[in-house]
Amino acid sequence: MRYTDNGTTPRTAGVRTADRLAVNGGIPIRSPERTWPTWPIPAPDAPRLLESVLTSGRWAITSPSGAALFERRFARMFAEYTGVRHCVPVDHGSSALVIALESLRLAPGDVVLVPALTWVACASAVLRAGLVPVLVDVDPQTGCVSPEHLDLAVGAKALLAVHWACAMADIPALLDVCTPRGITVVEDAAQAHGAEWQGRPAGSFGHVGCFSMQHSKVLTGGEGGAVVTDDGELAALLQELRADSRRYASADAAPQGLELEESATIMGANLCMNEFSAAVLCAQLGALDEQHKIRNDNYDVLARLIEDIPGVRMLRRHPAQTKASVYEAALVFDELPVGMTNADVAEALAAELHTRFYPPREPLARSPLLQPWTKPSLAPLTERFVAEHRGRRYPNAEYLASHAVLTHHSTFLGVEEDMRHIADAVDKVVRSAR
Ligand SMILES: Cc1ncc(COP(=O)(O)O)c(C=O)c1O
């Protein structure tokens, strides 16, 4: 068997000559020699900016030195990118969530609604902020939390509205329901840098917007995070919460070149972003929109190809979402091939294509990563957490967790032909079971 010039197995009258799945010893759809884009891709300016940090004598916001801080430069750049006035960089997306929740100044043990289908940090950050996460189901089309799934009877004081995979939650609709009921909407845009809803950037709708810049994200500095807001007073509070009660000093108040002054209106912790990550992020942000364009064009190509395959669909975005930020693409197998789970399908696709496909994680209600009872200091919160979750069900989250297959956004950073390979592999896996 030889691969065609474009690296796939040849077709004869629409039927492939090698239809046995690669996972069962058949010939893969795509030649193993054809590689996929790797991630992360260093932006052209990243080495120069990193080198300048190395030699600047200033590796952290707390270093007393005259070199201009990349941390502040990134804060300005990212605020502009998200269309808000203020950005407070932090060391991780999880820290962004913790300080955003702390900044609400809720009472200990207050309830925060969290979608059941997301990364564990969304719930653990709530606990770290002294609050109780109550999990709610998600919309079956977008995988995001939506107004009809909110529990309005539990007395929640906040909602963590997560944009999931490549779809945005309908924040305007969530605000309409939450605001009159005194529920503050915190937007978790950790997976949605640069996504837009009717032309407005993700992260700019809620009371505050939170981002992660961890390695796998579309904008990464290795580790990192940020909180964005239009509210100047809130930004000052967030600065203290992430720098041991210190905020940026005004130019005349800066003691001996220190960037931070001890304003101390609220107790904080050290959750500051380091200068290496900040420098890399300044460079990477410059490349982000070009990468979005490639990914989004390829995503649209794949979505069109998948439409022709019965029983499979791509995760659907709300029509008001005017720009996607593809963090993970979700193929939903409404008709799973007979005898296969979505994990089997993911394994089969990975074997055909030689890149990662994987099922979503289980809903948080049964995640082994969410076990507050293993931490004695969380005991008072755990009691309510356990009591609130007895008998709760998350059918839509469970459905997506058992029918979707995900792939990382780097899969979309190549050429259109890659999308045809994916569609051919999906088609082959679906047909293999008929
Ligand atoms: C939706 C969401 N929120 C928060 C986080 C936490 O970010 P970090 O890993 O940077 O702490 C992640 C990370 O994957 C995430 O996907």
Side-chain angles (χ1 to χ4, degrees):
M1 225 293 304
R2 289 169 65 90
Y3 287 92
T4 61
D5 288 347
N6 73 5
T8 59
T9 51
R11 271 179 194 276
T12 314
V15 178
R16 293 201 174 282
T17 52
D19 269 350
R20 186 144 64 107
L21 292 181
V23 75
N24 295 331
I27 296 155
I29 283 280
R30 177 166 160 129
S31 160
E33 269 132 54
R34 282 209 55 178
T35 54
W36 292 85
T38 52
W39 187 260
I41 302 170
D45 221 14
R48 186 181 66 82
L49 298 192
L50 263 180
E51 174 73 26
S52 77
V53 175
L54 266 176
T55 52
S56 69
R58 188 163 219 196
W59 291 7
I61 190 172
T62 41
S63 323
S65 144
L69 269 186
F70 277 102
E71 196 257 11
R72 295 194 79 164
R73 180 160 146 194
F74 175 67
R76 282 190 299 274
M77 288 171 71
F78 197 63
E80 192 183 335
Y81 186 77
T82 28
V84 296
R85 289 203 189 89
H86 308 279
C87 166
V88 180
V90 286
D91 54 357
H92 302 95
S94 310
S95 308
L97 295 176
V98 171
I99 66 167
L101 291 162
E102 287 177 341
S103 77
L104 306 184
R105 296 180 186 261
L106 299 178
D110 272 348
V111 165
V112 180
L113 302 177
V114 175
L117 192 68
T118 182
W119 179 236
V120 65
C122 301
S124 56
V126 174
L127 292 159
R128 286 170 63 193
L131 306 165
V132 177
V134 168
L135 303 171
V136 294
D137 206 4
V138 295
D139 179 85
Q141 299 299 333
T142 63
C144 299
V145 63
S146 69
E148 72 215 73
H149 298 107
L150 298 180
D151 182 341
L152 298 173
V154 77
K157 294 291 187 294
L159 160 69
L160 203 62
V162 180
H163 303 304
W164 187 67
C166 58
M168 280 179 76
D170 184 348
I171 305 286
L174 290 165
L175 284 168
D176 284 349
V177 174
C178 291
T179 310
R181 291 172 171 83
I183 302 172
T184 305
V185 176
V186 173
E187 207 179 337
D188 183 344
Q191 305 186 1
H193 321 63
E196 290 179 9
W197 188 274
Q198 292 177 327
R200 190 170 152 183
S204 69
F205 285 85
H207 182 68
V208 280
C210 302
F211 291 85
S212 163
M213 282 79 171
Q214 171 269 344
H215 174 96
S216 66
K217 304 299 185 295
V218 295
L219 177 65
T220 181
E223 297 278 8
V227 187
V228 299
T229 177
D230 267 333
D231 181 334
E233 274 181 36
L234 187 60
L237 189 68
L238 290 162
Q239 286 172 29
E240 288 196 14
L241 286 166
R242 71 86 159 81
D244 284 325
S245 310
R246 295 166 294 174
R247 63 175 70 160
Y248 296 133
S250 51
D252 47 344
Q256 295 146 12
L258 287 175
E259 201 80 16
L260 300 171
E261 64 183 7
E262 295 183 8
S263 40
T265 62
I266 190 165
M267 193 174 132
N270 183 2
L271 306 169
C272 294
M273 177 181 281
N274 73 75
E275 281 296 277
F276 297 102
S277 293
V280 171
L281 283 166
C282 287
Q284 297 304 118
L285 189 53
L288 181 56
D289 275 335
E290 200 180 313
Q291 292 173 347
H292 274 320
K293 167 106 181 75
I294 298 168
R295 269 189 297 255
N296 292 352
D297 285 353
N298 279 329
Y299 186 95
D300 290 345
V301 169
L302 182 61
R304 279 196 296 276
L305 294 170
I306 294 294
E307 271 172 23
D308 293 337
I309 306 175
V312 191
R313 63 186 157 96
M314 303 284 284
L315 197 72
R316 203 165 299 155
R317 299 196 290 270
H318 191 290
Q321 185 178 341
T322 42
K323 182 177 160 198
S325 171
V326 179
Y327 167 60
E328 287 173 318
L331 291 153
V332 186
F333 290 79
D334 290 315
E335 291 166 36
L336 279 166
V338 177
M340 291 176 100
T341 64
N342 60 332
D344 297 332
V345 172
E347 194 187 343
L349 289 174
E352 298 296 338
L353 295 161
H354 313 284
T355 191
R356 277 187 72 220
F357 286 83
Y358 44 94
R361 294 201 64 100
E362 59 283 282
L364 285 180
R366 52 186 182 86
S367 167
L369 307 181
L370 184 60
Q371 299 191 60
W373 46 89
T374 57
K375 232 178 187 176
S377 60
L378 293 175
L381 306 175
T382 300
E383 222 169 276
R384 178 142 193 217
F385 176 81
V386 171
E388 285 297 346
H389 289 90
R390 255 180 229 123
R392 277 183 191 268
R393 298 279 175 270
Y394 317 91
N396 298 333
E398 290 288 359
Y399 184 87
L400 288 168
S402 57
H403 288 75
V405 170
L406 305 178
T407 188
H408 185 244
H409 63 83
S410 52
T411 310
F412 292 81
L413 279 171
V415 292
E416 200 174 307
E417 202 166 63
D418 296 340
M419 303 301 108
R420 279 196 282 277
H421 293 172
I422 297 174
D424 283 349
V426 170
D427 187 46
K428 180 179 174 187
V429 172
V430 166
R431 281 189 302 112
S432 72
R434 289 211 181 112

